[in-house]
Amino acid sequence: MAIFAVWAGLSVQSSAKGNVSKKGGAYGLFLIGLGALLGVVFFLGGDWISPIYRPIVHIAGVVGVPWVGIAFFNAGFGKINGKTWNLLSLILLVLAILSYLYPLGLYATLIGAIALIAVLVVCVQKYKGSHKTAALYGIAGALLFILSGLVIGTVGTIAGFPRVDLFHYGLAAASYSLGYSLKRIG
């Protein structure tokens, strides 16, 4: 997952050319990749990394995923200037800290859903002409994110496979798909 998310981030960043929202989408993918990389250490028995790993994974979910959503929103509905992007990012970071220190119930699910709905709406809108394939990748990426988080989860097994593994495979494919789509649609 870490490799796919970082590769997707690099791919998006290389095509950003001054587009602050698209760069933000790349940063979101980098955050997801960083969380996954720290997760590798954690799941290999590095419990000592938990004080770093847990907050980074939380920030990846409540800031990184929305950054990807903002990048898609910008691609579909117009320019988000640097000041607006910075303000949105500041709000997301403050809410991330608050939701980490004082769990806000369904906040993480809600903010992720808003971001992924933005991806879906833009990709459905862009599903025409030369953007068809990229739009399909975006739709697949958003649906894989949703499926991984809401259906697969991380506890137990499915057909003998640990859910946590299937969850991460789904997110790896989702990260690749979203990066592919954003690079071409944005």
Side-chain angles (χ1 to χ4, degrees):
M1 182 179 157
I3 292 169
F4 280 102
V6 170
W7 176 87
L10 288 170
S11 180
V12 170
Q13 186 178 34
S14 72
S15 69
K17 296 178 187 153
N19 181 330
V20 88
S21 293
K22 199 169 188 180
K23 282 185 181 180
Y27 300 155
L29 291 164
F30 290 142
L31 265 175
I32 293 166
L34 177 61
L37 181 62
L38 295 174
V40 168
V41 175
F42 178 79
F43 285 107
L44 286 175
D47 291 343
W48 56 270
I49 203 166
S50 189
I52 299 167
Y53 164 67
R54 299 265 181 228
I56 294 295
V57 167
H58 179 75
I59 290 170
V62 299
V63 176
V65 174
W67 276 345
V68 172
I70 291 168
F72 273 92
F73 181 87
N74 181 68
F77 297 106
K79 301 290 182 206
I80 295 176
N81 64 32
K83 287 182 181 182
T84 303
W85 190 86
N86 288 335
L87 177 62
L88 290 171
S89 295
L90 179 63
I91 292 168
L92 288 170
L93 288 167
V94 167
L95 288 172
I97 293 166
L98 288 174
S99 67
Y100 187 77
L101 296 174
Y102 311 101
L104 301 174
L106 292 175
Y107 173 71
T109 303
L110 184 62
I111 195 72
I114 292 168
L116 295 170
I117 288 169
V119 172
L120 288 170
V121 167
V122 168
C123 288
V124 167
Q125 173 197 6
K126 294 281 189 174
Y127 184 75
K128 58 187 171 233
S130 64
H131 287 123
K132 263 188 180 179
T133 302
L136 283 176
Y137 270 86
I139 292 166
L143 293 176
L144 280 166
F145 244 100
I146 293 166
L147 176 72
S148 296
L150 296 180
V151 177
I152 295 173
T154 59
V155 179
T157 62
I158 296 176
F161 294 101
R163 284 180 182 260
V164 71
D165 291 349
L166 297 173
F167 171 79
H168 287 102
Y169 297 146
L171 292 182
S175 296
Y176 172 83
S177 297
L178 290 171
Y180 179 93
S181 179
L182 185 56
K183 178 179 180 175
R184 286 153 183 82
I185 285 179

